[in-house]
Amino acid sequence: MYSSVDLHTHTTASDGTLTPKALVEVALRRKLRVLAVTDHDSTEGVDEALSAAGSTLELWPGVEVSTDVPGSEVHILGYLVDHTDIPFQAMLRRLRDSRLGRARQMVSKLNDLGVAISWARVQEIAGAGAVGRPHVAQAMIEQGYVATLPEAFQRFIGRNGPAYVERYRLTPEDAVRLIVRAGGLPALAHPVIVENGKESWLDLEDLLPRLASAGLAGIECYYLNYTRAIKRRLLKIAATWNLVATGGSDFHGLGNLVVGPGEVAVPDEVADRVRERLIQRQSGQQRAQQTEV
Ligand code: AMP
Ligand code: ZN
Ligand code: FE
Ligand code: FE
C-alpha cells in the first residue's frame, strides 16, 4: 500500500535519477492522487510532469531551495508555486548558475586530492539538470574512489569535507519570501535527518521565529525514517507555530535516498490542508491590497 500523497520528490531536473515523465508513471502505477515535484533550485521538470500526469494525478509544481546557514543544511520547500513567474525563474537560474561554478571547483579540489574525476563526466551525469554534489559523487563511484554516495559525502564533499566548496545561496528567510512571491506555500524540509538511527535536528528554536515572520506556512512532519516520537514532536511544533504538517518521500531514485514515491506514510488530508492554507493566504493578500487602494 502506498500513500496517495507525496509532496517531496526529485527528478533529472536536479539530482533525481528518473525523468519527470518516468516519476509520474511510477506515481500513476502506485495510484497516488497528489504528487509534488520539488527539484533543487529548479522547476524545469514541472511541465513534463504536468503533461504526463493527466487527470487522475494532481501534479503540484514545486521546488526545494537550498539555503545558507552556518554549519547546517536548511532546505525550504515551495508547494504550488507559479513556475511561470519571471522573477522567480530568474532567481532559480542564478542559484543554478552558482551550482555550476561550485561543482567545477569541487572537481578541481578533488583532483588536487588525487581523485581523478573529470568535470566533463560530472556535467554528463548531471545532464540538463541543476548540478549537485550527488552528480560529483556518482563520478567518484564510477571511478572506484568511493563505494557509495554517503561515503563520498563523509570523506570528501560533505560540509566539513576537504573538497567542499560554498556557493551563492539565499538565507532561509529569503527563500521563504521567494516562494511566497511566486504564489507558493513555503515549508521547512526535513527538520530532522535520521541516519543509522541517529537524529540530527535543525535548531528550530532559532529558525522558526525567523521563518514564521518571513511567511513560513508548513513543516515536514512525515519523512524518511521518522519514528512515532519524532512525528509526535514535530506535529506539536507545527501546532505551536500554526504550520501545516506536510510530508513526502524525498524520492531521488536508485542509489541515493532509497525510498520510492508514496513510500512515506503521509495522511491524505495533508494535501487539503496545504490547499486551504494557500487559499486563506491569497484571500488575505487580496483584502490587504483592497484596503491599500
Ligand atoms: P547539493 O544540492 O549539491 O548541496 O547536494 C545535496 C544533496 O545531496 C541532497 O539533497 C541529497 O540529495 C544528497 N545528499 C546529501 N547528503 C548526503 C549523504 N550523506 N549521502 C547521500 N546523499 C546525500
Ligand atoms: Zn537531492
Ligand atoms: Fe532536502
Ligand atoms: Fe529533497
Side-chain angles (χ1 to χ4, degrees), residues 254-268:
L254 309 172
N256 200 331
L257 304 171
V258 284
V259 68
E263 288 178 26
V264 162
V266 178
D268 285 2

Side-chain angles (χ1 to χ4, degrees), residues 28-68:
L28 286 169
R29 270 202 304 278
R30 295 181 168 195
K31 305 214 177 328
L32 267 69
R33 286 193 307 104
V34 183
L35 177 74
V37 172
T38 54
D39 276 303
H40 300 289
D41 302 336
S42 175
T43 60
E44 296 294 306
V46 166
D47 282 328
E48 183 183 317
L50 279 169
S51 333
S55 56
T56 51
L57 176 64
E58 191 180 316
L59 198 290
W60 287 7
V63 72
E64 181 176 21
V65 179
S66 312
T67 69
D68 189 7

